[in-house]
Amino acid sequence: MPLRRMVESIWYARGTIPYARERIAPTGSTVAVIVLGDAIIETPDDGHGPAFRAERGFLIGPHDRPVINAPTGETFAVGVVCAPIGCEAALGVVPATLRGRVVDLESVWAPATGLRGDLLEAHEPAAMLDLVEDWLFRAPTPVAGLDRCARAVALLEADPTRPIAEIAASVGVSHGHLDRQFTRIVGLSPRVLARLLRMRRMLQDIDVAGDVPWADLAADLGWFDQAHLIRDFRRHTGVTPTQYMDAQRRTFIPGEPGDAAGFVPEVVALPR
């Protein structure tokens, strides 16, 4: 099974953010992080879930609300962003059991302990990324229905406003069958993932340095009106569109649209 089907990205991060914490909007993916430096506090459900202090690593399950990321010092970590269909195939973890949760990575993915040791012995970021890729290649888990759900996800990514019944018909199953299989493999229902993909596309397309035609965006991406867009925007990012734009403009150097999509920096400190 090609790794690119299971994994969206493998990343390395080292440094200190110039603010206390940040909201990170959901994308439909699960995220595994191996912590190599100072602890990181992750709080799901836009800060309303139980905070998890990660000393060695954490896994963010599929979710539809922002996760609050609060480093306690310098961030030094390596991470894997699984594709929506990739959590069980890449890590052997059923994502539906982790929906809306942040858990200790080593408790659900045994190879994390050995991989962390290898990473601590490596010195160059490129070597670390190669190590993670090698570990992921070792034992992919066969998942029944993966191909069908992969096709369904691809159809939703192409047009997240397309009716789910049409998606189900296109992949040869009933609406109910797709819902059940999709929710098991992705950890979210097709309808929820479609909403996340719409928001993700909009955030990636926004030029925060310019004027944003919110009404036009709402119409183009299938919202009934601007009020419905604002409601979903707040649920997705934890803030209003105006607050999102202000936070992005205040914090990030202007670049290509989508460079920091979905990140909402905050200056308020989390309790340690």
Side-chain angles (χ1 to χ4, degrees), residues 3 6-7 80 82 85-93 109 135-136 139-141:
L3 188 61
M6 302 183 291
V7 173
V80 177
C82 292
I85 63 162
C87 182
E88 186 176 2
L91 305 178
V93 180
W109 189 49
W135 275 83
L136 291 173
T141 302

Side-chain angles (χ1 to χ4, degrees), residues 173-237:
V173 293
S174 69
H175 190 163
H177 184 94
L178 179 64
D179 265 351
R180 291 188 295 274
Q181 192 169 67
F182 197 100
T183 300
R184 177 178 61 81
I185 292 174
V186 175
L188 303 166
S189 71
R191 190 174 303 281
V192 170
L193 182 64
R195 175 167 54 81
L196 299 186
L197 292 173
R198 280 199 298 168
M199 292 299 308
R200 186 177 184 180
R201 178 177 296 180
M202 185 185 67
L203 293 177
Q204 289 173 336
D205 289 346
I206 288 175
D207 180 1
V208 297
D211 294 326
V212 178
W214 295 107
D216 292 342
L217 283 174
D220 291 345
L221 289 171
W223 278 279
F224 291 114
D225 53 35
Q226 191 170 336
H228 283 85
L229 167 62
I230 292 172
R231 178 202 63 194
D232 283 355
F233 192 103
R234 185 159 195 165
R235 175 176 177 81
H236 189 78
T237 66

Side-chain angles (χ1 to χ4, degrees), residues 40-124:
I40 303 172
I41 298 172
E42 298 291 318
T43 310
D45 194 19
D46 197 21
H48 299 291
F52 178 76
R53 183 184 178 94
E55 304 281 351
R56 297 172 60 87
F58 59 91
L59 179 63
I60 302 175
H63 53 290
D64 64 352
R65 297 279 283 156
V67 171
I68 294 180
N69 174 66
T72 64
E74 181 190 45
T75 295
F76 181 22
V78 177
V80 177
V81 180
C82 292
I85 63 162
C87 182
E88 186 176 2
L91 305 178
V93 180
V94 178
T97 65
L98 299 174
R99 177 167 178 173
R101 300 170 59 204
V102 181
V103 300
D104 176 70
L105 180 62
E106 292 179 329
S107 70
V108 294
W109 189 49
T113 302
L115 175 55
R116 186 174 186 273
D118 289 349
L119 290 170
L120 286 169
E121 293 180 2
H123 299 288
E124 298 297 326

Side-chain angles (χ1 to χ4, degrees), residues 139-155:
T141 302
V143 179
L146 187 72
D147 288 342
R148 177 181 293 117
C149 285
R151 294 197 303 273
V153 169
L155 291 170

